[in-house]
Amino acid sequence: MRWSPWAIWLGTAGALLAALLAVQTLLGRIPVGPNGSWKDLRIAVVHCLLMAYFPAATASVLQRTARTLDALRPRLPWSDAEHGEVRSGLVRLASPGLYLLVAIGLLGAIVGPSLTEPGRTVLAWWQPASWSPEVWWHRVPGLGIGVWFGVFTHVLLASSARLSRISAQVKIDLFDLSPLVPFTQQGLNNGLLAVGPLAMYGLISVDFGLTPMLGVVFASALVLVSAALLLPVRGAHLRIVAAKKAELAWCAEAVEAERKAVRGQHTAGAGGRFADLLAYQTLWS
């Protein structure tokens, strides 16, 4: 990717904030005008930041996943053509999972305001005639945020699951786990990207206290962050567990065979290998 995802985020956020400032200036609402408030303006700014964040975070996940694949290339039994094919098709965007997550994101954007201030129906929040100019910057970008949240979640989960499956093809050496470091780095990177929106949503909730919307956001964030951290390393973890079990099984057979051999010998030092096997077995138990 030619442009850094975070340069894209800063550029997009800057453009949206400049547009917000221009609209406020043209309407004579600097900083806010009639029927407006500092709270509405702050929430409008946060929506601009979120609208720019999710596309950039999606690009960052794809970019980081491609780099992880490149780092794993020497450890994978692929030809250059196979590697290029996998790298270019990390995530299938035309999939039922994407459509479902986008629908969930849109539903959250539509229902969200009524969950922030319970007591008003969803329709009461969607009457444009009652919106101040600042509130327009809540509702319209909010729909875009819902769509991009679905795209970001799909890309993060799908790419993490793909990496987890790929880890089954990486050769495991229990004495050198450095080939698995890219999976760990991918999980940490995904986790940080998933935490970012939570911090920005917190700025929206400052004046509202504990609300159903805050509960939905934090519960969703907990699930997403957990998946982002654990999915990329799940396959590698299972490989390590399987390798340790194989070593333990071999140790059990070798220890039993050596025990029988030692019992049949009575010379000094006959149990040296037996002691070494017991010590080796403790590494994996």
Side-chain angles (χ1 to χ4, degrees):
M1 184 175 296
R2 180 175 299 179
W3 295 94
S4 164
W6 304 115
I8 295 174
W9 179 45
L10 291 174
T12 306
L16 289 171
L17 291 174
L20 172 60
L21 177 62
V23 170
Q24 292 295 95
T25 302
L26 289 173
L27 295 177
R29 299 177 66 86
I30 297 294
V32 293
N35 301 321
S37 68
W38 279 101
K39 178 183 72 175
D40 287 336
L41 183 61
R42 185 189 74 246
I43 295 174
V45 169
V46 174
H47 275 74
C48 290
L49 296 177
L50 283 168
M51 185 61 206
Y53 179 86
F54 281 115
T58 301
S60 181
V61 171
L62 291 172
Q63 185 183 79
R64 181 70 194 190
T65 306
R67 289 177 179 173
T68 298
L69 280 178
D70 291 342
L72 293 170
R73 174 67 184 89
R75 308 279 181 173
L76 293 170
W78 296 344
S79 65
D80 291 341
E82 289 173 326
H83 177 75
E85 183 179 352
V86 173
R87 195 180 189 277
S88 61
L90 287 172
V91 178
R92 290 191 306 109
L93 291 180
S95 69
L98 174 65
Y99 303 143
L100 175 62
L101 288 169
V102 167
I104 291 173
L106 269 176
L107 180 63
I110 294 170
V111 177
S114 63
L115 295 178
T116 301
E117 293 186 15
R120 295 174 62 186
T121 65
V122 174
L123 290 178
W125 287 95
W126 289 92
Q127 297 180 6
S130 65
W131 297 349
S132 67
E134 292 84 9
V135 172
W136 276 89
W137 285 88
H138 304 178
R139 301 292 179 267
V140 178
L143 296 176
I145 291 169
V147 170
W148 272 106
F149 170 78
V151 174
F152 168 70
T153 302
H154 171 72
V155 168
L156 187 147
L157 296 179
S159 62
S160 296
R162 185 75 178 272
L163 280 180
S164 182
R165 292 192 297 270
I166 289 173
S167 67
Q169 302 179 50
V170 178
K171 185 178 179 181
I172 296 293
D173 181 355
L174 291 175
F175 290 101
D176 180 17
L177 296 178
S178 58
L180 302 179
V181 169
F183 294 105
T184 304
Q185 293 175 337
Q186 181 78 30
L188 292 174
N189 180 76
N190 288 355
L192 287 173
L193 290 174
V195 167
L198 181 61
M200 285 183 270
Y201 273 118
L203 296 175
I204 295 178
S205 304
V206 168
D207 296 325
F208 298 104
L210 295 176
T211 64
M213 186 59 188
L214 191 61
V216 170
V217 169
F218 273 90
S220 302
L222 179 62
V223 172
L224 186 58
V225 171
S226 299
L229 286 170
L230 298 178
L231 266 180
V233 299
R234 181 176 180 274
H237 172 72
L238 293 176
R239 291 291 309 284
I240 292 172
V241 171
K244 287 185 176 181
K245 287 182 177 179
E247 286 297 308
L248 283 172
W250 177 85
C251 284
E253 293 180 2
V255 166
E256 178 61 19
E258 190 64 20
R259 184 184 69 83
K260 292 178 180 178
V262 169
R263 291 187 64 181
Q265 301 177 30
H266 303 285
T267 58
R273 184 170 184 272
F274 184 60
D276 291 341
L277 284 171
L278 290 176
Y280 181 71
Q281 190 178 40
T282 59
L283 288 175
W284 318 118
S285 57

